[in-house]
Amino acid sequence: MKHKVIFWAAASVLAVLAACNKPSGLEPQISISAKDPVEAPATEYSYSFKLTATVDWEIRGLDEDEKSWLEVSPVSGASSSSPQTVTVDIKANTSAAERSATFEFYGSGLSAPLTIVQAGTTETEIYSVSFLDGQGGFTVEDKDKPAAIDEIWKHDPKYGMVATAYKSDTQENLASESWLVSPVIDLTSESAAYLSFKHAVNFFKDASVLPDEAAVWAREENGTWERLEGVYYPPTMSWTFMDSGSLDLGAYVGRKMQFAFVYSSTAEKAGTWEIQEVSVTRNDTGLPEELTPDTPGLWLELPALDDAGSGLCFISHDMPLGGKDVRNYSYCYSTGDRLALWVAYPLNDGLRGNGGRSDEWSLDPKMPRKYQPILYRSYTDRDENDENIYNRGHQIPSADRLDAEANLKTFYFTNSAPQSGSFNSGVWADLENMVRDWSSDMDTLYVVTGVDIAGATEVAHDNEGNEVTVPTGFYKALLGYDKDASFGAETGGYIGIAFYFEHRDYSGGSSAVMEQSMSIDALEDMLGYDFFANLPAKIGEDGAAAVESAVDSWWN
């Protein structure tokens, strides 16, 4: 009898437990309405879904690292015949790397798994500072400071952080060493990082000493300093700022680190090093990884683009004018040749602007680095006299865009083509001057400048040894417009002319230029392009044909 009581009591407890674990009359079940996997953006994100659990349940499978960026609420619950709401809160992913977590809703031997996949950030910047605004949290560590000077590194609101051990009042060069050390940079969640900065050097002994006397070092936090290689220095002593190139910080990703600008000098010569904008980015200089073409507008200067082949990409750059952004220039780029096949832009005195030449050659922010020629210095090919064979020839000339921001964009590497020095400074410069003069006498001159690479066999080499196709010829197609029709009265105020030059020396100045002139149609027949493809929509097919088939006497 006693055993029966105990058995009845045990059975009663089991019945109560079963009643507590699932609602009466329902089959044990755990299921979720969420799509598996849940794909979350890199930004902070919250996702809610329904959980059906007729048994008591809990979350299993999240480790501490995953809990640091992902929170599930609630983390457990009682059985219910009604669906329960579960929310997953996900913190922003500041790394470019994708991350994921898999966990399960578990109870009574039942399980419903769920995976969260969060995209990496597309934001490229990890850290940046402008030394024009101040010292930016950097500290100065003088290793060898002469008593005759108060400081080696100092801030200048016009030039940034400036280092020199030259004592101007006594005209002395002093031996020194001083470090400008960054704050700690957190790369613990990064998979890649690159350092770049703008700098100018002057009054050093020569360019050969720059890697030692204007060096960049890095270390893991509290670790040993190591020199960073690959800094691009200006080819000559001047106050012209240039981009340092991208210094790979891959050895420090996953950790906290610091970098330092290390200036040194000798009693023989104490140069001056100026540094302005500094940034650490997640990819190489913050450039896109793959080609993304821009959408062309219905601009009069554009050639037809519908026959662009593989490896060609249309890119357009803007510039500020009158409080708004307007087009600066556009180009069609051949990745295999590391060369813009043509550059097109409008030109008049207002678009030309006022200012000077920056000479700050830099990477084009719209073009993946792997396709660009690296031209902080000129092409590396030398002749028997150890002189540069090729200049960095602008396609849209620097002098056609003089406002500061617009001018900087003419110094993108993608706007350069290898030109022999005598051609660049000779007949080609004469034509560029004539184009500017013509543009001042009309409302707008629409310009296409391009290269001919048909039959090209020669290559130039950029600063990293990459091959760049050397054009066999250069050309310009011009469409002039005057709203008062002081010329082109029968064609809506439009007239056209074109020029083609073999890539060789010419003599004769402006007369040699005009000897190479031809109609736009003739240049199209020579090259296979359809220039000014939007002109017929403006003045009709017959008007456009008249403009492109003849050279108006106004040009002479």
Side-chain angles (χ1 to χ4, degrees), residues 42 78 147 157 162 448 463 470:
V162 180
V448 184
N463 302 161
V470 176

Side-chain angles (χ1 to χ4, degrees), residues 209-247:
V209 305
L210 294 175
D212 293 320
E213 297 185 7
V216 184
W217 291 65
R219 69 174 180 181
E220 184 179 359
E221 185 181 18
N222 299 320
T224 302
W225 288 101
E226 297 179 341
R227 186 196 297 266
L228 290 177
E229 304 293 344
V231 179
Y232 284 111
Y233 295 97
T236 58
M237 299 296 114
S238 75
W239 299 122
T240 299
F241 280 84
M242 68 170 287
D243 199 308
S244 66
S246 295
L247 308 185

Side-chain angles (χ1 to χ4, degrees), residues 151-210:
E151 54 187 351
I152 297 171
W153 282 103
K154 62 181 179 181
H155 173 253
D156 186 299
K158 186 175 181 180
Y159 303 112
M161 290 301 295
V162 180
T164 187
Y166 178 74
K167 196 170 187 297
S168 58
D169 57 345
T170 59
Q171 298 185 345
E172 289 181 87
N173 294 291
L174 303 172
S176 71
E177 181 181 337
S178 184
W179 292 51
L180 181 64
V181 182
S182 77
V184 173
I185 310 298
D186 188 356
L187 302 181
T188 54
S189 62
E190 305 300 336
S191 58
Y194 298 86
L195 169 66
S196 62
F197 53 93
K198 289 189 178 295
H199 64 147
V201 294
N202 209 349
F203 299 117
F204 288 85
K205 180 181 178 181
D206 54 47
S208 68
V209 305
L210 294 175

Side-chain angles (χ1 to χ4, degrees), residues 220-517:
E220 184 179 359
E221 185 181 18
N222 299 320
T224 302
W225 288 101
E226 297 179 341
R227 186 196 297 266
L228 290 177
E229 304 293 344
V231 179
Y232 284 111
Y233 295 97
T236 58
M237 299 296 114
S238 75
W239 299 122
T240 299
F241 280 84
M242 68 170 287
D243 199 308
S244 66
S246 295
L247 308 185
D248 191 351
L249 300 179
Y252 304 98
V253 296
R255 294 178 280 175
K256 294 181 178 180
M257 60 83 64
Q258 291 175 284
F259 57 89
F261 300 106
V262 181
Y263 170 87
S264 61
S265 60
T266 67
E268 178 187 1
K269 194 68 173 173
T272 299
W273 192 16
E274 299 176 342
I275 302 175
Q276 290 186 349
E277 311 296 331
V278 180
S279 64
V280 178
T281 55
R282 292 186 173 90
N283 59 24
D284 197 348
T285 66
L287 303 179
E289 296 291 338
E290 299 299 334
L291 280 174
T292 303
D294 289 328
T295 301
L298 297 176
W299 305 323
L300 280 180
E301 68 268 19
L302 291 185
L305 290 161
D306 51 7
D307 58 349
S310 61
L312 300 182
C313 184
F314 174 81
I315 298 292
S316 181
H317 287 297
D318 292 338
M319 63 181 180
L321 183 68
K324 62 181 181 179
D325 286 337
V326 301
R327 68 188 184 277
N328 187 342
Y329 65 92
S330 307
Y331 64 90
C332 179
Y333 195 77
S334 171
T335 58
D337 297 291
R338 296 182 188 269
L339 200 61
L341 299 184
W342 53 255
V343 175
Y345 59 99
L347 181 63
N348 56 40
D349 288 345
L351 293 170
R352 188 182 178 204
N354 297 286
R357 178 185 175 100
S358 72
D359 277 318
E360 293 186 31
W361 289 95
S362 63
L363 289 156
D364 186 330
K366 287 192 170 185
M367 181 65 60
R369 189 182 194 276
K370 61 186 176 183
Y371 298 132
Q372 298 193 47
I374 306 304
L375 294 169
Y376 294 106
R377 299 179 296 276
S378 193
Y379 299 94
T380 59
D381 309 87
R382 318 288 284 188
D383 62 18
E384 63 275 8
N385 298 316
D386 200 32
E387 299 289 338
N388 284 327
I389 297 176
Y390 302 111
N391 290 170
R392 293 169 290 186
H394 285 72
Q395 294 213 54
I396 173 173
S398 165
D400 285 5
R401 294 289 188 260
L402 294 178
D403 285 344
E405 184 173 334
N407 184 264
L408 281 171
K409 294 182 179 182
T410 70
F411 283 91
Y412 289 158
F413 299 152
T414 51
N415 187 44
S416 171
Q419 287 185 332
S420 70
S422 56
F423 180 86
N424 184 33
S425 61
V427 68
W428 194 248
D430 292 336
L431 175 56
E432 290 177 338
N433 288 328
M434 293 168 69
V435 167
R436 281 187 287 275
D437 289 342
W438 285 328
S439 73
S440 295
D441 293 332
M442 57 182 65
D443 287 293
T444 304
L445 180 61
Y446 299 96
V447 183
V448 184
T449 297
V451 301
D452 183 10
I453 57 174
T457 58
E458 295 183 14
V459 294
H461 296 85
D462 71 5
N463 302 161
E464 295 183 348
N466 299 307
E467 293 185 349
V468 183
T469 301
V470 176
T472 55
F474 291 85
Y475 65 85
K476 286 186 184 288
L478 308 178
L479 175 67
Y481 171 66
D482 186 79
K483 65 182 179 182
D484 296 326
S486 61
F487 50 69
E490 297 180 355
T491 52
Y494 291 93
I495 56 174
I497 191 171
F499 300 85
Y500 181 90
F501 295 86
E502 295 176 1
H503 193 182
R504 60 175 176 82
D505 290 348
Y506 290 79
S507 60
S510 60
S511 61
V513 171
M514 294 310 296
E515 288 173 3
Q516 301 303 123
S517 66

